[in-house]
Amino acid sequence: MADLFDTGAAASDTPKGPRPLADRLRPAVLDDVIGQDHLLGPEGALRVMLDSGALSSLIFWGPPGVGKTTIARLLAAETDLHFVQISAIFTGVPELRKVFEAARMRHANGKGTLLFVDEIHRFNKAQQDGFLPHMEDGTILLVGATTENPSFELNAALMSRSQVLVLNRLDEAALEKILAHAELELHHPMPLTPEAREALLTMADGDGRALLNLAEQVAAWKVTGQINVDQLSTRLQRRAAQYDKSGDAHYNLISALHKSVRGSDPDAALYWFARMLEGGEDPRFLARRITRMSVEDIGLADPKAQRVCLDAWETYERLGSPEGELALAQAVIYLSLAPKSNSAYVAYKGARSSAKSTGSAPPPKHILNAPTAMMKDQGYGKGYEYDHDAEDGFSGANYFPDTMSRAHFYAPKERGFERDLKKRLDWFEGLRAKRKR
């Protein structure tokens, strides 16, 4: 039987008493894992590593219930490594030292250790750095699991010594296969109408472990006939998700929220914000997106907007749901009513484009430091005008490469705080023209 869910006990530790369905359907080999063919198929990254005998330290990035722990355990079995599992939530420095010391002794006796670290992003920088020497000398092969973007949550040093593999949210076909295996294990089909069966898969929301837990509840019901969608929702006290968080509806709704904010319509923005929450969207995703809106669509027209979003995000992290979501809703209202400007965004893209097209043109020599006599002889720093000593604190000197004409990227709007910035920009341009720069 196959499934794709996380579980911690080794096969040899299988309990003799009653076991949950998810435990009974735990994969025995990697080929039994469902839903991650891009990693475990014939050309998958993990399969290629195993076939070549070159398994490296790994970071598994993916949502809950897609098999991060299961695959790690099976990797250890396939490579004859001792499997050790810890959670960053419950493990401190003293426990880590014991784990490393035990792995060191195993290594000295010719046995490697695959150390699986669940929620690895929960470790702080110092703790993450502590893995590095043990990875480098081969004491451990690290497999970390995280639901958060490793680029933001993990140290660059740890990332450089590991390969990040993305585990996909289970699609309907994978979930249906898991449910079919569950029915074989239970020796009877789910007592569900076709519509209710589809709703059950939707309720699992891409999580194989969640699906098996739901299926086990349904299988325990003493019913005659088939259960419909309304009965299923009532009995499980769960509604089917409003939309697929990785599908078209997800992107349609976030687009609707973004454009409502850009269009200065707080009521519509709140509606789409609420629709996404009701559909089961992660509030942290919404926090990231509204912060992005403050940067892209409001920018310097209201510099406070970005701070409002970051404060709302921090409030959510401290309060959680549902109170923390109110702080995000307030940020949505603030953004909707704030003056809008994408001038900084346009200027940034223009500057990046210009930087690519001008190659490696050096700065003009007059703004280069000259710490040595040779560099002074080469003209470094010659003619530099110290702006603090200039009239109005502005020399009007050229800071672009000598081979490049002066460019104009930033064009502030006549809105909000950018109105004041435009006045200052125009004033500097006037001084530059007066001084013929």
Side-chain angles (χ1 to χ4, degrees):
M1 299 286 172
D3 74 341
L4 206 64
F5 51 88
D6 295 346
T7 176
S12 60
D13 297 329
T14 300
K16 304 303 181 186
R19 295 163 57 203
L21 181 61
D23 184 56
R24 285 161 22 215
L25 289 179
R26 180 188 305 152
V29 293
L30 284 169
D31 288 342
D32 287 345
V33 172
I34 292 174
Q36 308 300 337
D37 291 346
H38 65 296
L39 298 179
L40 297 170
E43 297 300 318
L46 267 179
R47 179 51 60 195
V48 170
M49 283 186 203
L50 290 169
D51 290 346
S52 62
L55 186 63
S56 65
S57 288
L58 304 167
I59 301 297
F60 288 159
W61 175 25
V66 298
K68 296 185 288 293
T69 309
T70 294
I71 294 175
R73 182 185 303 104
L74 296 176
L75 283 176
E78 188 151 334
T79 54
D80 195 29
L81 294 172
H82 183 82
F83 181 76
V84 177
Q85 177 179 350
I86 62 174
S87 170
I89 298 174
F90 302 111
T91 306
V93 172
E95 291 82 7
L96 278 177
R97 288 197 186 115
K98 292 178 182 177
V99 168
F100 294 146
E101 178 59 23
R104 187 191 63 77
M105 294 177 67
R106 262 185 238 108
H107 189 248
N109 291 319
K111 181 74 171 179
T113 299
L114 188 152
L115 176 60
F116 177 71
V117 184
D118 199 15
E119 303 285 347
I120 191 170
H121 61 278
R122 302 272 190 164
F123 278 136
N124 61 34
K125 182 181 185 303
Q127 290 169 318
Q128 290 181 31
D129 285 343
F131 289 95
L132 303 181
H134 308 289
M135 295 166 66
E136 290 170 348
D137 67 11
T139 300
I140 63 168
L141 188 144
L142 175 69
V143 178
T146 178
T147 56
E148 301 295 328
N149 188 331
S151 300
F152 302 140
E153 304 294 339
L154 299 183
N155 293 352
L158 188 63
M159 292 277 285
S160 70
R161 291 162 175 81
S162 310
Q163 182 168 344
V164 176
L165 298 180
V166 179
L167 277 72
N168 293 333
R169 178 180 180 274
L170 299 186
D171 60 20
E172 187 170 331
L175 291 172
E176 176 58 47
K177 190 180 291 188
I178 291 172
L179 189 57
H181 287 170
E183 289 173 320
L184 287 174
E185 175 69 19
L186 295 166
H187 306 297
H188 62 78
M190 292 288 111
L192 302 171
T193 66
E195 295 78 14
R197 186 182 185 90
E198 185 175 342
L200 184 70
L201 298 180
T202 306
M203 288 176 185
D205 197 23
D207 185 328
R209 181 177 52 237
L211 174 63
L212 291 173
N213 290 338
L214 291 172
E216 191 162 27
Q217 291 183 57
V218 173
W221 296 339
K222 301 185 185 305
V223 296
T224 57
Q226 292 187 318
I227 296 170
N228 62 30
V229 174
D230 290 339
Q231 292 171 320
L232 180 70
S233 298
T234 299
R235 284 170 172 257
L236 291 177
Q237 286 296 293
R238 295 175 69 158
R239 290 187 300 109
Q242 299 294 307
Y243 68 110
D244 180 348
K245 287 189 278 185
S246 64
D248 290 341
H250 165 80
Y251 295 105
N252 289 340
L253 265 62
I254 193 60
S255 176
L257 171 59
H258 198 147
K259 289 180 173 64
S260 298
V261 168
R262 184 182 295 154
S264 300
D265 189 335
D267 296 316
L270 279 175
Y271 170 76
W272 295 116
F273 176 76
R275 276 281 301 272
M276 296 188 81
L277 287 177
E278 288 298 315
E281 185 57 77
D282 182 356
R284 292 179 178 86
F285 168 79
L286 291 167
R288 287 193 295 271
R289 286 302 296 250
I290 63 176
T291 303
R292 171 182 161 184
M293 294 172 204
S294 72
V295 174
E296 286 187 13
D297 292 292
I298 292 156
L300 293 173
D302 184 355
K304 184 181 175 184
Q306 186 176 336
R307 185 69 260 168
V308 168
C309 292
L310 292 172
D311 286 346
W313 192 345
E314 175 66 17
T315 300
Y316 174 81
E317 295 291 351
R318 289 177 177 273
L319 292 182
S321 297
E323 294 85 355
E325 288 155 4
L326 176 59
L328 297 178
Q330 291 172 352
V332 167
I333 295 170
Y334 187 96
L335 295 187
S336 299
L337 296 177
K340 307 298 189 297
S341 173
N342 69 341
S343 298
Y345 185 51
V346 171
Y348 167 73
K349 290 199 297 182
R352 287 295 297 265
S353 176
S354 181
K356 288 178 182 178
S357 65
T358 52
S360 55
K365 286 186 177 180
H366 74 93
I367 63 172
L368 297 178
N369 291 329
T372 69
M374 185 190 75
M375 295 170 78
K376 289 179 182 177
D377 291 341
Q378 292 290 320
Y380 284 37
K382 185 177 181 180
Y384 173 65
E385 299 177 64
Y386 189 55
D387 285 81
H388 289 295
D389 292 339
E391 184 181 357
D392 299 314
F394 179 74
S395 68
N398 175 55
Y399 298 104
F400 282 95
D402 291 331
T403 55
M404 178 180 171
S405 299
R406 179 171 178 77
H408 295 276
F409 301 120
Y410 180 51
K413 312 284 189 188
E414 285 280 2
R415 291 194 288 272
F417 181 68
E418 277 203 322
R419 186 180 292 112
D420 294 331
L421 295 180
K422 187 176 188 306
K423 289 177 183 177
R424 292 191 59 76
L425 189 62
D426 290 344
W427 182 65
F428 287 130
E429 286 296 329
L431 289 178
R432 187 175 284 111
K434 192 183 300 183
R435 295 167 191 174
K436 297 182 181 180
R437 300 283 189 172

Short mmCIF file of all heavy atoms in Angstrom, two decimals, residues 128-160:
data_model
loop_
_atom_site.label_atom_id
_atom_site.label_comp_id
_atom_site.label_asym_id
_atom_site.label_seq_id
_atom_site.Cartn_x
_atom_site.Cartn_y
_atom_site.Cartn_z
N GLN A 128 21.56 26.70 13.11
CA GLN A 128 21.76 26.21 11.73
C GLN A 128 23.25 26.10 11.41
O GLN A 128 23.69 25.13 10.79
CB GLN A 128 21.07 27.15 10.75
CG GLN A 128 19.55 27.09 10.79
CD GLN A 128 18.91 28.01 9.78
OE1 GLN A 128 19.44 28.27 8.72
NE2 GLN A 128 17.74 28.53 10.12
N ASP A 129 24.04 27.08 11.86
CA ASP A 129 25.49 27.03 11.63
C ASP A 129 26.11 25.81 12.30
O ASP A 129 27.14 25.29 11.83
CB ASP A 129 26.15 28.30 12.16
CG ASP A 129 25.91 29.51 11.26
OD1 ASP A 129 25.52 29.31 10.09
OD2 ASP A 129 26.12 30.64 11.73
N GLY A 130 25.50 25.35 13.39
CA GLY A 130 26.04 24.21 14.11
C GLY A 130 26.05 22.92 13.30
O GLY A 130 26.81 21.99 13.61
N PHE A 131 25.21 22.83 12.26
CA PHE A 131 25.18 21.62 11.44
C PHE A 131 26.37 21.55 10.48
O PHE A 131 26.76 20.47 10.04
CB PHE A 131 23.89 21.57 10.62
CG PHE A 131 22.65 21.31 11.42
CD1 PHE A 131 21.87 22.34 11.89
CD2 PHE A 131 22.28 20.00 11.72
CE1 PHE A 131 20.73 22.10 12.63
CE2 PHE A 131 21.14 19.75 12.46
CZ PHE A 131 20.36 20.81 12.92
N LEU A 132 26.92 22.71 10.13
CA LEU A 132 27.87 22.78 9.01
C LEU A 132 29.10 21.88 9.16
O LEU A 132 29.41 21.12 8.23
CB LEU A 132 28.29 24.23 8.78
CG LEU A 132 27.15 25.23 8.52
CD1 LEU A 132 27.70 26.63 8.29
CD2 LEU A 132 26.32 24.79 7.32
N PRO A 133 29.84 21.95 10.28
CA PRO A 133 31.05 21.10 10.36
C PRO A 133 30.73 19.62 10.28
O PRO A 133 31.52 18.84 9.73
CB PRO A 133 31.67 21.48 11.71
CG PRO A 133 30.57 22.11 12.49
CD PRO A 133 29.68 22.78 11.49
N HIS A 134 29.58 19.20 10.80
CA HIS A 134 29.22 17.78 10.79
C HIS A 134 28.77 17.34 9.40
O HIS A 134 28.94 16.17 9.04
CB HIS A 134 28.12 17.52 11.82
CG HIS A 134 28.46 18.03 13.19
ND1 HIS A 134 29.41 17.44 13.98
CD2 HIS A 134 28.00 19.11 13.88
CE1 HIS A 134 29.51 18.11 15.12
NE2 HIS A 134 28.66 19.13 15.09
N MET A 135 28.23 18.27 8.61
CA MET A 135 27.91 17.97 7.22
C MET A 135 29.18 17.87 6.39
O MET A 135 29.33 16.99 5.54
CB MET A 135 26.99 19.05 6.65
CG MET A 135 25.63 19.14 7.31
SD MET A 135 24.74 20.67 6.89
CE MET A 135 24.46 20.45 5.14
N GLU A 136 30.12 18.79 6.65
CA GLU A 136 31.33 18.87 5.84
C GLU A 136 32.25 17.67 6.04
O GLU A 136 32.91 17.23 5.09
CB GLU A 136 32.07 20.17 6.15
CG GLU A 136 31.33 21.41 5.64
CD GLU A 136 31.94 22.70 6.15
OE1 GLU A 136 32.77 22.64 7.07
OE2 GLU A 136 31.56 23.77 5.64
N ASP A 137 32.33 17.14 7.27
CA ASP A 137 33.23 16.01 7.50
C ASP A 137 32.54 14.66 7.32
O ASP A 137 33.14 13.61 7.57
CB ASP A 137 33.90 16.10 8.87
CG ASP A 137 32.93 15.94 10.04
OD1 ASP A 137 31.76 15.55 9.81
OD2 ASP A 137 33.35 16.19 11.18
N GLY A 138 31.28 14.67 6.91
CA GLY A 138 30.58 13.43 6.62
C GLY A 138 29.98 12.74 7.82
O GLY A 138 29.46 11.62 7.71
N THR A 139 30.00 13.40 8.98
CA THR A 139 29.40 12.79 10.17
C THR A 139 27.91 12.56 9.98
O THR A 139 27.37 11.54 10.40
CB THR A 139 29.64 13.69 11.41
OG1 THR A 139 31.03 13.84 11.61
CG2 THR A 139 29.00 13.08 12.65
N ILE A 140 27.24 13.52 9.36
CA ILE A 140 25.81 13.38 9.09
C ILE A 140 25.51 13.72 7.64
O ILE A 140 26.24 14.49 7.00
CB ILE A 140 24.95 14.30 9.99
CG1 ILE A 140 25.26 15.78 9.71
CG2 ILE A 140 25.09 13.94 11.46
CD1 ILE A 140 24.29 16.76 10.34
N LEU A 141 24.47 13.12 7.13
CA LEU A 141 23.83 13.56 5.90
C LEU A 141 22.53 14.21 6.34
O LEU A 141 21.66 13.54 6.90
CB LEU A 141 23.59 12.41 4.94
CG LEU A 141 23.10 12.81 3.55
CD1 LEU A 141 23.68 11.89 2.48
CD2 LEU A 141 21.59 12.83 3.46
N LEU A 142 22.42 15.50 6.15
CA LEU A 142 21.28 16.25 6.65
C LEU A 142 20.13 16.23 5.64
O LEU A 142 20.34 16.47 4.45
CB LEU A 142 21.67 17.70 6.93
CG LEU A 142 20.54 18.64 7.36
CD1 LEU A 142 20.04 18.27 8.76
CD2 LEU A 142 20.99 20.09 7.32
N VAL A 143 18.94 15.94 6.14
CA VAL A 143 17.72 16.11 5.36
C VAL A 143 16.79 16.97 6.20
O VAL A 143 16.29 16.53 7.24
CB VAL A 143 17.04 14.78 5.01
CG1 VAL A 143 15.74 15.04 4.23
CG2 VAL A 143 17.97 13.91 4.18
N GLY A 144 16.62 18.21 5.80
CA GLY A 144 15.74 19.12 6.52
C GLY A 144 14.40 19.23 5.82
O GLY A 144 14.30 19.08 4.60
N ALA A 145 13.36 19.47 6.59
CA ALA A 145 12.02 19.63 6.04
C ALA A 145 11.46 20.97 6.50
O ALA A 145 11.60 21.35 7.66
CB ALA A 145 11.10 18.50 6.51
N THR A 146 10.84 21.67 5.56
CA THR A 146 10.26 22.97 5.89
C THR A 146 9.05 23.24 5.03
O THR A 146 8.99 22.83 3.87
CB THR A 146 11.29 24.10 5.71
OG1 THR A 146 10.67 25.36 5.99
CG2 THR A 146 11.85 24.13 4.29
N THR A 147 8.08 23.91 5.61
CA THR A 147 6.92 24.38 4.85
C THR A 147 7.12 25.82 4.39
O THR A 147 6.28 26.36 3.68
CB THR A 147 5.64 24.30 5.71
OG1 THR A 147 5.84 25.05 6.91
CG2 THR A 147 5.32 22.86 6.07
N GLU A 148 8.22 26.45 4.82
CA GLU A 148 8.49 27.84 4.48
C GLU A 148 9.56 27.92 3.38
O GLU A 148 10.36 27.00 3.20
CB GLU A 148 8.97 28.60 5.72
CG GLU A 148 7.98 28.59 6.87
CD GLU A 148 6.70 29.33 6.56
OE1 GLU A 148 6.75 30.31 5.79
OE2 GLU A 148 5.64 28.91 7.05
N ASN A 149 9.58 29.04 2.68
CA ASN A 149 10.54 29.23 1.60
C ASN A 149 11.96 29.22 2.16
O ASN A 149 12.34 30.09 2.93
CB ASN A 149 10.27 30.57 0.90
CG ASN A 149 11.09 30.75 -0.35
OD1 ASN A 149 12.20 30.23 -0.47
ND2 ASN A 149 10.56 31.49 -1.30
N PRO A 150 12.78 28.22 1.79
CA PRO A 150 14.14 28.13 2.35
C PRO A 150 14.98 29.37 2.05
O PRO A 150 15.86 29.72 2.83
CB PRO A 150 14.72 26.88 1.67
CG PRO A 150 13.56 26.11 1.19
CD PRO A 150 12.50 27.11 0.86
N SER A 151 14.72 30.02 0.92
CA SER A 151 15.51 31.20 0.56
C SER A 151 15.40 32.29 1.62
O SER A 151 16.33 33.07 1.81
CB SER A 151 15.03 31.76 -0.79
OG SER A 151 15.18 30.80 -1.80
N PHE A 152 14.25 32.34 2.29
CA PHE A 152 14.03 33.37 3.30
C PHE A 152 14.36 32.89 4.71
O PHE A 152 14.67 33.70 5.58
CB PHE A 152 12.57 33.84 3.27
CG PHE A 152 12.13 34.39 1.95
CD1 PHE A 152 10.87 34.10 1.45
CD2 PHE A 152 12.97 35.17 1.18
CE1 PHE A 152 10.45 34.60 0.23
CE2 PHE A 152 12.57 35.68 -0.04
CZ PHE A 152 11.31 35.39 -0.52
N GLU A 153 14.25 31.58 4.94
CA GLU A 153 14.29 31.07 6.31
C GLU A 153 15.60 30.38 6.70
O GLU A 153 15.86 30.20 7.87
CB GLU A 153 13.13 30.09 6.53
CG GLU A 153 11.74 30.66 6.25
CD GLU A 153 11.35 31.76 7.20
OE1 GLU A 153 11.93 31.83 8.30
OE2 GLU A 153 10.46 32.55 6.87
N LEU A 154 16.39 29.97 5.71
CA LEU A 154 17.61 29.22 6.02
C LEU A 154 18.85 30.02 5.67
O LEU A 154 18.86 30.81 4.73
CB LEU A 154 17.63 27.88 5.27
CG LEU A 154 16.48 26.92 5.59
CD1 LEU A 154 16.67 25.61 4.84
CD2 LEU A 154 16.36 26.66 7.08
N ASN A 155 19.93 29.78 6.43
CA ASN A 155 21.20 30.47 6.21
C ASN A 155 21.76 30.14 4.83
O ASN A 155 21.63 29.02 4.34
CB ASN A 155 22.23 30.05 7.25
CG ASN A 155 21.87 30.53 8.64
OD1 ASN A 155 20.94 31.29 8.80
ND2 ASN A 155 22.60 30.06 9.63
N ALA A 156 22.44 31.11 4.25
CA ALA A 156 23.07 30.89 2.95
C ALA A 156 24.10 29.78 3.03
O ALA A 156 24.24 28.97 2.10
CB ALA A 156 23.71 32.18 2.45
N ALA A 157 24.82 29.69 4.15
CA ALA A 157 25.85 28.66 4.30
C ALA A 157 25.23 27.27 4.29
O ALA A 157 25.76 26.34 3.67
CB ALA A 157 26.63 28.89 5.59
N LEU A 158 24.11 27.11 4.97
CA LEU A 158 23.42 25.82 5.00
C LEU A 158 22.86 25.48 3.63
O LEU A 158 22.94 24.35 3.16
CB LEU A 158 22.31 25.85 6.05
CG LEU A 158 21.61 24.53 6.36
CD1 LEU A 158 22.59 23.53 6.94
CD2 LEU A 158 20.46 24.75 7.32
N MET A 159 22.29 26.49 2.97
CA MET A 159 21.72 26.29 1.64
C MET A 159 22.79 25.88 0.64
O MET A 159 22.56 25.04 -0.24
CB MET A 159 21.04 27.57 1.17
CG MET A 159 19.79 27.95 1.95
SD MET A 159 18.35 27.08 1.35
CE MET A 159 18.04 27.97 -0.16
N SER A 160 23.99 26.47 0.76
CA SER A 160 25.05 26.18 -0.21
C SER A 160 25.56 24.75 -0.09
O SER A 160 26.17 24.22 -1.03
CB SER A 160 26.22 27.15 -0.03
OG SER A 160 26.91 26.91 1.18
#
